[in-house]
Amino acid sequence: MSQRFQEQISDIVSTIVASYKENAFPVASASLPNRDSIIESIHMLRELLFPGYFGKQNLIIDTIGYHVGDLLIKIHEKLHEQIGYALKHQAIKNGEVTLDADKKADEIIYAFLRKIPEIRDTLIMDVQAAFDGDPAAGDKDEIIFSYPGILAVSIHRLAHELYLLSVPLIPRIMAEYAHIITGIDIHPGATIGKYFFIDHGTGVVIGETSTIGNNVKIYQGVTLGALSTRGGQNLRGAKRHPTLEDEVTVYSGASILGGDTVIGKGVVIGSNAFITKSVPNGTKVSVKNPELLFKGHSPEDVKEEFVLDWVI
Amino acid sequence: MSQRFQEQISDIVSTIVASYKENAFPVASASLPNRDSIIESIHMLRELLFPGYFGKQNLIIDTIGYHVGDLLIKIHEKLHEQIGYALKHQAIKNGEVTLDADKKADEIIYAFLRKIPEIRDTLIMDVQAAFDGDPAAGDKDEIIFSYPGILAVSIHRLAHELYLLSVPLIPRIMAEYAHIITGIDIHPGATIGKYFFIDHGTGVVIGETSTIGNNVKIYQGVTLGALSTRGGQNLRGAKRHPTLEDEVTVYSGASILGGDTVIGKGVVIGSNAFITKSVPNGTKVSVKNPELLFKGHSPEDVKEEFVLDWVI
Amino acid sequence: MSQRFQEQISDIVSTIVASYKENAFPVASASLPNRDSIIESIHMLRELLFPGYFGKQNLIIDTIGYHVGDLLIKIHEKLHEQIGYALKHQAIKNGEVTLDADKKADEIIYAFLRKIPEIRDTLIMDVQAAFDGDPAAGDKDEIIFSYPGILAVSIHRLAHELYLLSVPLIPRIMAEYAHIITGIDIHPGATIGKYFFIDHGTGVVIGETSTIGNNVKIYQGVTLGALSTRGGQNLRGAKRHPTLEDEVTVYSGASILGGDTVIGKGVVIGSNAFITKSVPNGTKVSVKNPELLFKGHSPEDVKEEFVLDWVI
């Protein structure tokens, strides 16, 4: 190690350490949860939800209990520890000193794991919805293995249970992991009914206080968003995102905004619609698409300029 | 291990196992392909397509045959096994008992590997198209290393060959892996010509029965989709997605929908256009953009309210 | 190994090797940088920027210097090597034989590492902007751990410094890694001010010559793009992308195009606006949304057909 190198590095180390001391060194770093451990938990939970597809294969139904037991003990260990960290970290930040984080983590983890069969039943309906709704689906195995919509909704249904159990940090870390993987951004607070299908999915945003009924189908680029977030943290907790009732379909690129906006039962929202008011049951909303201008490159091909408008 | 822990876990195990027995335990789990192995194959194939860029570096052209041989044996081993699983799994589901999966996997894998030089030649043209079409490209190495469009199209060209060879499950797993990585969703059934470039790419959707000619360029957020999928599985196999002839350019956010929609040679489709009918050769289609409303915050800056419309 | 297998494989190896010799075997393969090493550097740099959140946890401020020193030595080793490769590769391609790549890499790496405290200070402001601007943010830890906007901008601020130091290849590899992870595509050449927030982010594109002031907020699907790239490589270096002055907000799906387009201070651009001309300070631009057509499924629910237009 040359002297120049030593001097340079040691000088840079000092300025970096000084910057830590000055600014935003994490509060209570000793109890921050670990993002990698949380992601490992997600993978193990996914194995539990779809056994034989992910992780260990060649499972036999008669002896699968041993595999499930083994997996559950690992999930318990990892998640219990992370939930404990998240609770302690929150308590320290809020100045609560009396919390029994271990006991509370215990209660949460059992309540969460007891939900697995129900989450699984719902996800099987989601897979069915994907199969029924997508002519490009070869079979349900293909959907379980590869559909980003199913992956995002699987992680959402897990994260949402932890959100309901008031676990700090971890639900959002899970949700944003799903977002990063799939391009589908579902806040763990969103309430989503059964038989839900997101097709293609890239660019979908479903905000924290969205409520979605049963048998709903949405496509890539759909936003269920807030009308304005200029209130910032003052809006925290308010219903800012829309409600979709049962059997709603929302085609690609549509935006539905606002906490008072209710999309009634059976409504179909066309591609690229921009909706900020409620729509009554059974309505079909389509965009009168902007005029298209056509210019021919050569006069023999098409008339020099003509305008054609259409409605889907 | 505390008694409470044992009781809780064993109780949860029972309910989960019961839920497996009741519902959707994978059919023929013993021969499901393994997603991780398929992804490993993709990485090895990528090394074969762009030697020196990914995987082993510092290759010397005179001795590269040894490296290629080694790599091919590994790819063969892994893909042959996975194709065998996929074929067996399909046969069991379809009640075919006489399939010689091993022999069929053999035929498929050789036919597939023989296509590698051709796929490589086409991809080199795709890299050239990216270089010619993107002023932000420093050089072709940058494109090979980092362009998501090239990564997505590389995986597509591999997956499409397996799709043409009627391999079940694996082509879609490959395609959705590319989708997850790049945000570009190309169904392995889509037919794509030479010298193809997807710029930026996030949000692009190219449906199963799309046909794309040579020298085509598309941008982020473009959908080549179906007009309606309400028919669900009844539409399976029908031509549902558009045809783009040679030298077509489609700018960001445009949607082109429908199996009867043909975009003629040399057509340029402007940003955000929504196209559901054929467009003749050489036409330039632009959207008459929706009126914009301008409001000044302070009267001295701009007139209180004025409307300006423009066409690109 | 069966004879048939040997014959098939050796035949395929020959055709692949022949295709390498003919076409695009990488120039100067001995000094190509390694993408995996660059990605490892990013992860270590992220640990340096947000200590305690990623990588090693349970850090104590009094002894953190040892951890930082250790990390810096590893980052130096890896990045120095990769920068050296990138410089040599470029020199060989350009026919420069006199380059002292080692010495130049030395200068670059020190200049880069000295920027870390400043980058960190800026990122802490970005985290604050996210917290202030997003009612769904539980706390700043959640933002650091999980917001894709923060991840993308963290990598951008690192890659941009290397871009300014004229490092070939590596800045773009870093930027496209961020793109792949987050769906946010920021060219390393883009200049971005302080207190910057990208919400949701999927589909955002920020072109090479974009300039963004302080206190700017943009949403998912926003493009800061070029008006035309038909000039291809001839346009290289020209200002092709817009300028956003301080305190600009751009809502989801809006496109702002062209190197002469300046969005003035305090401007708000509404969702889906398509902007190709400058907008004066303090203006609020909203789209007069396309007419929506409503059709009731049953006459008792809604009038058979009615049209409603609205402006946000």
Side-chain angles (χ1 to χ4, degrees), chain B residues 45 112 153 301 303:
Chain B
L45 286 161
F112 173 68
V153 173
D301 278 341
K303 285 177 209 129

Side-chain angles (χ1 to χ4, degrees), chain A residues 223-229 239-244 250 253-264 267 269-270 272-280 285-287, chain C residues 251-252 270-272 284 286-292 294 308-312:
Chain A
T223 294
L224 308 185
L227 260 172
S228 167
T229 56
K239 168 93 172 143
R240 308 182 304 280
H241 308 96
T243 296
L244 273 55
V250 187
S255 295
I256 304 174
L257 307 181
D260 296 330
T261 304
V262 178
I263 306 301
V267 166
I269 306 283
N272 301 327
F274 195 86
I275 309 280
T276 58
K277 295 190 180 166
S278 292
V279 175
V285 183
S286 62
V287 177
Chain C
Y251 283 104
S252 65
S271 268
N272 301 325
K284 190 180 159 189
S286 62
V287 176
K288 186 172 175 199
N289 271 289
E291 236 175 88
L292 293 175
F294 294 76
L308 196 111
D309 72 336
W310 56 52
V311 179
I312 302 239

Side-chain angles (χ1 to χ4, degrees), chain C residues 242-282:
Chain C
T243 297
L244 274 54
E245 298 189 342
D246 294 350
E247 288 154 42
V248 166
T249 302
V250 187
Y251 283 104
S252 65
S255 296
I256 304 174
L257 308 181
D260 296 330
T261 304
V262 178
I263 307 302
K265 185 173 173 179
V267 166
V268 178
I269 305 283
S271 268
N272 301 325
F274 195 86
I275 309 280
T276 59
K277 296 188 179 166
S278 293
V279 174
N281 290 353

